[in-house]
Every structure is written in structure tokens, then in C-alpha cells.
Amino acid sequence: AQSVAQPEDQVNVAEGNPLTVKCTYSVSGNPYLFWYVQYPNRGLQFLLKYITGDNLVKGSYGFEAEFNKSQTSFHLKKPSALVSDSALYFCAVRDDEAAGNKLTFGGGTRVLVKP
Amino acid sequence: KAGVTQTPRYLIKTRGQQVTLSCSPISGHRSVSWYQQTPGQGLQFLFEYFSETQRNKGNFPGRFSGRQFSNSRSEMNVSTLELGDSALYLCASSWPRTGLKETQYFGPGTRLLVL
């Protein structure tokens, strides 16, 4: 079975400061990891993914994430947060041993960037 | 290229009724997945269709069903609606290969309110 944990319900950060959103996962096989962002009354927007290769993945809007196999983590980071980054962030995992296209999501982390 | 579209965007039904939601994937995408998002349960996988066949199914009762047409458009149906079915229903599509490494792109969702 595959699972994802986002330990923080909310992260508060001042504009211009670094932003980190934490994610840990559990899978049977090799993980495929994704980050999505959701703005109010909108669907999910894809930010970045880790499939294989470099542990540091760069994505949209200046976001990046670091894959750490030993800690089973995939934390999302942004060096300098913007007020417009305030949204709900979801980490998701797909197990390469699982059938089909099922994504398992974490509970989400609300990010609030204050001016 | 147009994104994933979902219709209707908002829907109000009463208990016991049934509802059909529609999803048009990104052109060329053949895998369509459905997810339910609620404040209490978060994002949960409903089912996935690929080439008109259900490839994977989540842990939802039989009242939830779906289908996919030859043009990859998909519908999901919920019969005998219950209050707990009130949720944002999200559709996602991805490229036609194995699907394991492919990114799922989400539509804006259909918000269903059951009274």
C-alpha cells in the first residue's frame, strides 16, 4: 500500500523568506512523487515531479523539491516566498508496483505568506 | 492546448437523486481518473479509465460508477445521493503510455452539494 503524510496543516511565512512544505511517503516499490497546488475554488495545478535521476527537482513558479530516499521524504521548497504563493499544497505518490494511475495524496498543507 | 474541462461546475441535488458529471481530457490523453475531495477525507481516488476500460478502482460503494467513451471523454455517475456525497469531484487526464510516470493534469472540478 502507498501512503503520504504532510505533518503540518499550515505553514506561515513572511514574504521574501524561504518556504518549506514537508512530505514523507511510504511505498512498496519505487516511488513516483508529485507536488500540486490548489487555489480557492480551483482544481489542482501541477508543480513538479520526481521519477528518477537527480534528487533535486525544479518545477514551476520557482519551486523545487528534494527527494531523500533514506528519509523517505520529498519536501517542497521555494527560496523566496511571494504573497501569491498562499494556497493549499498537496504531495502525492504513486507506487511503481501498483496497477494503473492511482495517486495517493497527503492531507494538504495550507501556506500563508504574509506581506 | 486546452486543459481538462469538467461540466457542470456547480450542482445542487437532493438526497436520493442521481447525478452525472462529465470530463473532457486534454487532447491526446487517454487515461482519465476521478477523485473526490472533501474537508474530512481529503483527496480520495475513485476510479481510472483507459481506452474505455476501468483500470483501477478506489474504495467507494457501488453507487459510484463511471465510463469512458471512444473519444476519451468520461462520465461518472452517483446514484441514490447521500448528504456525505457533497464534495468537489476532480477529473484528471494523462498521456496514454503506461501512465506510471506520466503527470496527471486536473480539471477545475465539479462542486456537488447534496441537500
Side-chain angles (χ1 to χ4, degrees), chain A residues 6 15 17 20 24 26 33 40 43-44 50 56-57 65 68 81 87 93 108 115:
Chain A
Q6 293 181 242
E15 188 174 32
N17 282 2
T20 298
T24 58
S26 175
L33 295 152
L44 302 179
Y50 171 82
L56 185 64
V57 179
N68 188 315
V93 69

Side-chain angles (χ1 to χ4, degrees), chain A:
Chain A
Q2 52 193 41
S3 66
V4 178
Q6 293 181 242
E8 300 159 315
D9 290 337
Q10 182 160 324
V11 170
N12 297 318
V13 63
E15 188 174 32
N17 282 2
L19 169 63
T20 298
V21 186
K22 296 179 180 177
C23 170
T24 58
Y25 66 90
S26 175
V27 295
S28 301
N30 293 312
Y32 297 139
L33 295 152
F34 302 80
W35 275 102
Y36 288 87
V37 60
Q38 185 176 36
Y39 295 97
N41 300 315
R42 303 285 293 276
L44 302 179
Q45 294 181 27
F46 169 72
L47 284 177
L48 50 80
K49 67 181 178 183
Y50 171 82
I51 301 300
T52 187
D54 289 340
N55 290 341
L56 185 64
V57 179
K58 294 189 182 298
S60 307
Y61 313 117
F63 284 94
E64 59 188 29
E66 187 169 8
F67 171 68
N68 188 315
K69 188 173 183 178
S70 62
Q71 297 185 5
T72 61
S73 66
F74 189 55
H75 302 330
L76 181 70
K77 300 180 181 182
K78 187 171 184 179
S80 179
L82 302 172
V83 172
S84 57
D85 293 329
S86 298
L88 188 56
Y89 290 79
F90 290 96
C91 180
V93 69
R94 183 186 302 141
D95 188 339
D96 73 344
E97 293 186 356
N101 232 355
K102 175 184 176 181
L103 281 175
T104 297
F105 285 88
T109 298
R110 189 165 301 280
V111 170
L112 180 59
V113 182
K114 298 180 179 179

